[in-house]
Amino acid sequence: MTTALPALYDQLRQDGFAFATADTMRDLLDAATLPDWATFTASWDTLAPDAYLASVGRHRRRRHAVFAADAQGVRREPDQPHYQSKTYNTLQGDIERWFEPIVADGPSLRRILGFCHGFFGGLAPQVDRWRVEVHQFRIEARADEAGEPTPEGVHRDGVDYVLVLLVDRTNIESGTTTIHAPDGRLLGSFTLVHPLDAALVDDARVFHGVTAVTPKNPSLPAHRDVLVVTFRADATGG
């Protein structure tokens, strides 16, 4: 852990993004000690369809929650909509989107949020309070229809920092994360393959996207499960 953190900090400061292997994240989260890990990962099986995305002919499942993070720690806020302007989401911007709330709010999620608070807070120590949004996503692929992890294309989320943590890949091919400069130049690419592989992104500096996923065996169910955590400085927190 002592060597992994400085390397991740250096890479994020230098490049605007970092890929963390599952082994690295397992150590940083001390994942072997989490009592609810199996329940946490199984909660992706209960995700509700994203009705907003279905309205434009695409399909995925998700849940959502909002937290606040400050010197007193990380605490859950009342359920509220997810909102992005069209500046950041040309597909579904400028609307309030209500999703089913996250129910797996136990030690695993709390430890992930605690890691993010410490890591991202170390990059911006001047921030007293963060608005944190948590998204569970399941992208399903079918024989006749690829799954789109980022249907809006290469984009920014309109926040300060992003963690994308792979939870599961079942019968899936592709799903390559690409990182781009504001002028569109490709800065790097990698594929989250193993549970706990992660991408850490400085959203103010770089754009990101994920290529479509297809089933390895078209006759079997195929999905890609990720947890996305975003941190944005909350000016209303004083």
Side-chain angles (χ1 to χ4, degrees):
M1 186 181 299
T2 55
T3 58
L5 272 178
L8 287 177
Y9 274 127
D10 288 346
Q11 189 176 356
L12 207 65
R13 290 188 177 109
Q14 175 179 309
D15 300 327
F17 70 97
F19 167 67
T21 66
D23 286 343
T24 294
M25 291 304 299
R26 191 173 293 110
D27 288 343
L28 291 173
L29 298 173
D30 195 14
T33 69
L34 293 171
D36 70 331
W37 187 253
T39 301
F40 178 64
T41 58
S43 70
W44 267 256
D45 294 334
T46 72
L47 302 191
D50 181 343
Y52 300 94
L53 199 58
S55 69
V56 291
R58 294 175 171 88
H59 305 280
R60 68 182 169 197
R61 297 178 181 274
R62 70 189 297 178
R63 286 183 182 269
H64 171 257
V66 177
F67 293 78
D70 56 23
Q72 283 68 54
V74 181
R75 59 192 174 278
R76 190 159 180 171
E77 298 283 86
D79 293 336
Q80 51 197 278
H82 176 53
Y83 178 85
Q84 292 174 297
S85 73
K86 280 196 176 289
T87 301
Y88 299 107
N89 190 331
T90 56
L91 185 64
Q92 295 185 299
D94 292 346
I95 59 173
E96 291 188 344
R97 289 180 285 163
W98 286 91
F99 300 106
E100 292 293 323
I102 285 174
V103 295
D105 186 3
S108 293
L109 180 60
R110 294 294 176 154
R111 190 165 297 175
I112 292 166
L113 295 181
F115 162 75
C116 290
H117 189 199
F119 185 80
F120 295 142
L123 291 166
Q126 75 281 3
V127 177
D128 295 324
R129 176 183 167 97
W130 298 93
R131 175 184 170 86
V132 182
E133 293 197 51
V134 180
H135 309 262
Q136 290 178 286
F137 288 108
R138 168 167 287 183
I139 306 302
E140 297 171 324
R142 305 180 178 94
D144 60 347
E145 185 177 26
E148 296 180 90
T150 53
E152 64 272 50
V154 174
H155 66 286
R156 289 171 54 211
D157 288 338
V159 297
D160 293 298
Y161 300 106
V162 182
L163 167 77
V164 182
L165 186 74
L166 183 70
V167 173
D168 182 51
R169 282 174 65 106
T170 296
N171 190 33
I172 283 292
E173 290 189 303
S174 193
T176 297
T177 298
T178 60
I179 307 294
H180 302 259
D183 63 5
R185 286 180 298 114
L186 180 67
L187 300 177
S189 65
F190 47 86
T191 303
L192 306 182
V193 175
H194 305 290
L196 292 178
D197 278 352
L200 299 153
V201 179
D202 184 337
D203 191 63
R205 291 175 56 193
V206 299
F207 288 64
H208 64 278
V210 182
T211 62
V213 295
T214 56
K216 290 181 179 179
N217 184 338
S219 66
L220 296 175
H223 64 256
R224 177 182 186 265
D225 294 348
V226 297
L227 181 77
V228 176
V229 180
T230 66
F231 269 60
R232 177 170 59 84
D234 186 355
T236 65

